[in-house]
Amino acid sequence: GYLISFRKHPENPWNFEKLFQVGWATHEGIGALKKLVKDQKNFLVIGPTGCGKTSIMNALLLETGERCRSVIIEDASELKVPNALSSKLLTRVSPFN
């Protein structure tokens, strides 16, 4: 048979203040992450299921502003593109494998 799954994304994604309030990171850790964005460094967010990758990426994308280009590569579309300069790529299984 068929299986359909719906996932509702929050209207207000995680930001650094919310992450600090729930104890996800210290002010120093959040400052280091904000510096990565401010200095326009390339970085990867990697981890197992449920560790907070989507939450931290939403917070980081809110920090990018309108002049920073982000290229988002996801298996499932969960992140919002932060501005018109940014792009999203979704992975797919190749039909040729």
Side-chain angles (χ1 to χ4, degrees):
Y2 294 97
L3 176 64
I4 298 174
S5 175
F6 294 99
R7 183 168 176 179
K8 184 178 178 189
H9 300 289
E11 292 294 322
N12 299 312
W14 286 92
N15 59 38
F16 283 119
E17 184 59 35
K18 286 183 189 177
L19 290 170
F20 175 75
Q21 288 174 355
V22 298
W24 188 89
T26 63
H27 280 297
E28 294 80 17
I30 289 170
L33 291 168
K34 286 183 176 183
K35 184 168 174 26
L36 284 173
V37 173
K38 181 179 177 259
D39 294 345
Q40 296 184 352
K41 299 292 184 182
N42 294 321
F43 58 91
L44 296 173
V45 177
I46 302 169
T49 301
C51 72
K53 296 179 301 293
T54 301
S55 300
I56 192 61
M57 283 303 304
N58 277 319
L60 287 164
L61 289 168
L62 287 174
E63 294 289 318
T64 60
E66 292 298 316
R67 298 181 313 180
C68 184
R69 178 173 169 78
S70 299
V71 178
I72 302 166
I73 304 171
E74 300 181 272
D75 288 331
S77 184
E78 296 181 301
L79 299 170
K80 292 183 180 179
V81 177
N83 56 44
L85 295 173
S86 298
S87 301
K88 181 185 285 197
L89 303 171
L90 295 176
T91 62
R92 296 286 183 248
V93 176
S94 172
F96 302 108
N97 289 342

